[in-house]
Amino acid sequence: MNLLRVRRAAVAALAATALLGGLGAVSASPATAAETSGGAHGEAHRTAHGRTLSDAAASTGRFAGTAVAAGRLDDPTYARIAATQFSSITPENAMKWESVEPERGEFNWTDADRIADFADANEQDLYGHVLVWHSQLPAWLNEGDFSPSDIRTIMTDHIATVAGRYKGRVDRWDVVNEAFNEDGTFRETIFHNAMGEDYIAEAFRAAHRADPDAKLFINDYNTDGLGPKSDATYRLVKKLLAEGVPIHGVGVQGHLVLGQQPEDMKANLQRFADLGLDVVVTELDIRMELPVTRKKLLRQAVEYKAVTDACTAVARCEGITVWGFSDADSWVPGWFEGEGAACPYDEEYEPKPAYYAMKLAYTVAGWKHHLHGRR
């Protein structure tokens, strides 16, 4: 890293620290005397603070995750950050249906295998995404003339093949993705049209048969706070649990807009946890209207911190995955005109205040965990 980059990183770190300190979150700079001192106390302090984002998350018993694209792993900078800053990896697109089964019964594992191998090589969790989703389906399935029985067989065969291939390697699967409309009604998909809401239970049972040790999640967007969509998810998972369906967790995606963060995120996560389920923030990014300003970046840092605080306040929140760590690779500008800068790293792969805000939030939670553990 050249001198300019060092200075930029330092400025971002100090800005985030000052901001969070002003909010009462911390009262020390990112690097304190205790961190640089020798001896057992210094080492304990360094461990609690975390040298990387994954270290800081681990101090609270949680993972720090990111979505990755297989082709970007050719970039040494991208690969280094993905390998060192994160303890969980989610394939951004490589495990989606159109990617792995472009023709019926014909599978392409190249990109998915590459990401799985990357996770193995770096001793990271592998978060499988996604087995059943209405989007990014291959043309043969979307445009095919299939009976309801055919759709059921196609779905369960696909799950068996994909989840079965990565049996013992995937820690968590998004089994069903985006099952609801905004008003809490079930989304009409080829799966729902064929089987009704029973397709969800069928998908979870098929995934559990294929990989009994993987944790199985339902995942959706705009379910971060309390509301019709998250209420519908709550009712569904409560029903699935009552029926003995093997569901282990709920993923809230966390595609947020600057200044529009739900204040009841912790309460929402907690109610799922109270059912005995794990919860995860699966696809976090916080987009803003362009151009980027320092004020917006600091506001974004506050909101990344708030999401991290919500997770660390819920014992069964296992971690947070950012949906791509760099603005250079973010999906946001391609979908939301005039918006972007949603990730914790900028387009030059330098940490933004949001990165330091997450790290400091984990650090404070880790300190609290350490102090309570010593009592």
Side-chain angles (χ1 to χ4, degrees), residues 321-346:
T321 293
V322 294
W323 204 244
F325 54 84
S326 169
D327 293 337
D329 308 297
S330 173
W331 70 292
V332 169
W335 284 84
F336 300 97
E337 185 176 357
E339 296 180 85
C343 298
Y345 282 74
D346 67 19

Side-chain angles (χ1 to χ4, degrees), residues 4-5 45 53-54 61-62 74 78 83 94 102 142 191 210 220 243 268-269 308 336 346:
L4 178 59
R5 289 186 174 183
H45 190 97
L53 188 62
S54 63
R62 291 168 176 81
D74 291 326
Y78 181 99
N142 260 336
F191 308 108
D220 215 324
E243 294 173 351
N268 187 48
L269 296 176
T308 310
F336 300 97
D346 67 19

Side-chain angles (χ1 to χ4, degrees), residues 132 141 144-156 186-200 202:
V132 179
L141 181 53
D145 183 17
F146 299 110
S147 70
S149 178
D150 290 334
I151 293 295
R152 181 187 300 270
T153 299
I154 288 168
M155 184 189 78
T156 55
F186 282 98
R187 185 190 295 272
E188 289 191 13
T189 69
I190 61 171
F191 308 108
H192 187 271
N193 291 342
M195 292 175 271
E197 67 179 86
D198 289 344
Y199 86 91
I200 297 172
E202 285 291 310

